[in-house]
Amino acid sequence: MTADDTIAARKTVCVTGAGGFIASWIVKLLLERGYNVRGTVRNPEDPKNDHLRAIEGANERLVLCKANLLDADDLRAAINGCEGIFHTASPVTDDPELMVEPAVEGTRKVILAAAEAGVRRVVFTSSVGAVTMDPKRGADVVVDESCWSDLEFCKQTKNWYCYGKAVAEQKAWELAGEMGVDLVVVNPVLVMGPLLQPQVNASIMHVVKYLDGSAKTYANAVQAYVDVRDVAEAQIRVYESPSASGRYLCAESVLHREDVVRILAKLFPQYPIPLKCSDEINPRKKPYKFSNKKLKDLGIEFITVKQSLYDTIKNLQQKGHLPVIS
Ligand SMILES: NC(=O)c1ccc[n+]([C@@H]2O[C@H](COP(=O)([O-])OP(=O)(O)OC[C@H]3O[C@@H](n4cnc5c(N)ncnc54)[C@H](OP(=O)(O)O)[C@@H]3O)[C@@H](O)[C@H]2O)c1
């Protein structure tokens, strides 16, 4: 252990939605650094959370606490006595009924509990969905932390996930300001990389569909990508860095879908990867410019999208989510 690890060893932090894709990696990295971790899950007895208990250090320093985002008492009990919070729990869906209230109200309850417990810092996992959904943004604009999604546009396009995340982040800033809570926000783009949890989450399905034969074509669309290990590392860097503040766009690259399927086809030619675009009429969409300078300045060296895709597929094979075809 280094001197820094020894300091971390005395600290207890809370990770909400600990069993999820990103949160499981945050828990793993926190345990590696010597933190005591309280991970909130909806049901600690559910076998889907067993992977958390298997992480090195979990026996000694991980406690799973039962908490639904809509239950203030559960959240208070998990957060009270913690030095910091990594708030990652959120529904990930475009169903407005299931998305908006838990995302927004859950975030409000976490900030209130943080204020009551007097935690040092809250790191909130927002999303690129709170950043890029703006039809007025010019083609040459560099997307960075100053960009905000347009709520009316999210509603009109029925993008309830982006709407819920954007409103949740706005509320978090508003309430943290009022209550004097030190809030730092990480806005990841589409997250890939190896799963620790047994089930495939929504962002990984984005890649699975190109390998399991379910997608026959790819869309004329662009998407930004980042690896889950960098998202977790970013969260801990912004937590530990005294000068960290504001939002942090967490992105490695922006690619057209065609680039993604071509990388996959080159790495894994044995799968039925679609190489035909569903849109043969409109011009090819151009990747937007973005800045990840704030996180690079904190020392993050992003895993390349090619490496991340490779590690994702290998992990899906190992976990039995994709057949190993030779
Ligand atoms: N993956 C991405 O591409 C991506 C990109 C940008 C931002 N994000 C954000 O990152 C966070 C984690 O996403 P993820 O990809 O890791 O998704 P995930 O694997 O689906 O994890 C979401 C977690 O939130 C929990 N949760 C959902 N509703 C809850 C509720 N009402 N009460 C308590 N817990 C609840 C889930 O618990 P259960 O297991 O009990 O359902 C799960 O542990 C989310 O805030 C998401 O918006 C993700």
Side-chain angles (χ1 to χ4, degrees):
M1 266 198 180
T2 65
D4 280 354
D5 291 336
T6 316
I7 294 164
R10 292 198 291 270
K11 294 174 179 169
T12 300
V13 292
C14 176
V15 180
T16 66
F21 175 44
I22 295 173
S24 297
W25 275 97
I26 298 175
V27 170
K28 180 175 160 58
L29 298 193
L30 287 167
L31 289 173
E32 279 172 8
R33 282 163 168 78
Y35 284 89
N36 297 308
V37 181
R38 287 193 204 157
T40 76
V41 291
R42 282 193 266 197
N43 177 7
E45 310 313 321
D46 191 326
K48 78 176 183 181
N49 295 313
D50 284 353
H51 66 286
L52 293 171
R53 296 191 180 88
I55 297 173
E56 207 179 321
N59 274 345
E60 302 79 28
R61 285 178 287 107
L62 174 67
V63 176
L64 294 186
C65 310
K66 181 182 162 304
N68 189 301
L69 276 177
L70 296 176
D71 190 318
D73 289 339
D74 281 0
L75 290 170
R76 247 190 246 123
I79 287 167
N80 206 11
C82 288
E83 195 225 34
I85 305 172
F86 294 84
H87 175 42
T88 66
S90 168
V92 180
T93 171
D94 266 326
D95 181 330
E97 303 283 314
L98 299 177
M99 180 65 207
V100 182
E101 198 200 347
V104 177
E105 195 44 32
T107 302
R108 199 180 74 84
K109 286 182 169 37
V110 167
I111 301 285
L112 286 175
E116 203 177 292
V119 306
R120 181 178 70 75
R121 180 167 282 173
V122 177
V123 179
F124 172 51
T125 314
S126 181
S127 166
V128 70
V131 177
T132 49
M133 290 288 287
D134 179 4
K136 298 179 297 304
R137 196 183 69 240
D140 284 332
V141 170
V142 176
V143 171
D144 66 10
E145 290 80 3
S146 66
C147 300
W148 274 94
S149 291
D150 177 331
L151 294 181
E152 280 311 308
F153 180 66
C154 292
K155 274 199 222 169
Q156 278 160 22
T157 52
K158 298 193 183 343
N159 201 325
W160 297 110
Y161 172 72
C162 294
Y163 178 82
K165 292 300 287 185
V167 177
E169 191 191 327
Q170 281 180 359
K171 291 279 173 217
W173 283 119
E174 210 178 284
L175 199 57
E178 281 167 29
M179 313 286 292
V181 170
D182 180 355
L183 175 71
V184 182
V185 170
V186 176
N187 299 79
V189 295
L190 190 94
V191 185
M192 294 176 305
L195 313 175
L196 296 176
Q197 83 281 9
Q199 70 281 8
V200 178
N201 63 297
S203 60
I204 294 296
M205 282 311 294
H206 171 85
V207 186
V208 171
K209 70 174 187 284
Y210 292 131
L211 292 114
D212 68 4
S214 54
K216 306 295 177 209
T217 54
Y218 62 81
N220 181 11
V222 298
Q223 177 83 54
Y225 298 86
V226 71
D227 191 276
V228 67
R229 293 160 288 189
D230 289 335
V231 178
E233 182 64 38
Q235 309 247 359
I236 296 173
R237 297 257 172 141
V238 303
Y239 180 69
E240 290 183 340
S241 165
S243 61
S245 71
R247 307 169 94 195
Y248 287 80
L249 183 64
C250 191
E252 194 276 330
S253 54
V254 182
L255 298 180
H256 191 276
R257 294 280 205 285
E258 183 181 358
D259 303 320
V260 175
V261 294
R262 286 198 188 285
I263 293 172
L264 288 171
K266 209 164 176 189
L267 291 172
F268 300 99
Q270 65 272 39
Y271 290 102
I273 295 161
L275 292 172
K276 190 174 167 340
C277 186
S278 58
D279 173 2
E280 290 173 337
I281 297 163
N282 293 301
R284 192 180 190 268
K285 293 256 169 63
K286 289 204 179 89
Y288 57 84
K289 296 177 198 146
F290 71 100
S291 169
N292 55 12
K293 185 178 181 308
K294 271 187 88 179
L295 279 176
K296 280 191 170 158
D297 287 349
L298 284 182
I300 300 283
E301 290 173 25
F302 287 96
I303 296 166
T304 65
V305 69
K306 188 175 171 191
Q307 184 66 51
S308 183
L309 282 168
Y310 179 82
D311 293 347
T312 307
I313 307 312
K314 284 290 185 192
N315 175 272
L316 289 167
Q317 290 175 335
Q318 281 157 15
K319 286 200 149 55
H321 296 303
L322 282 175
V324 182
I325 310 169
S326 48

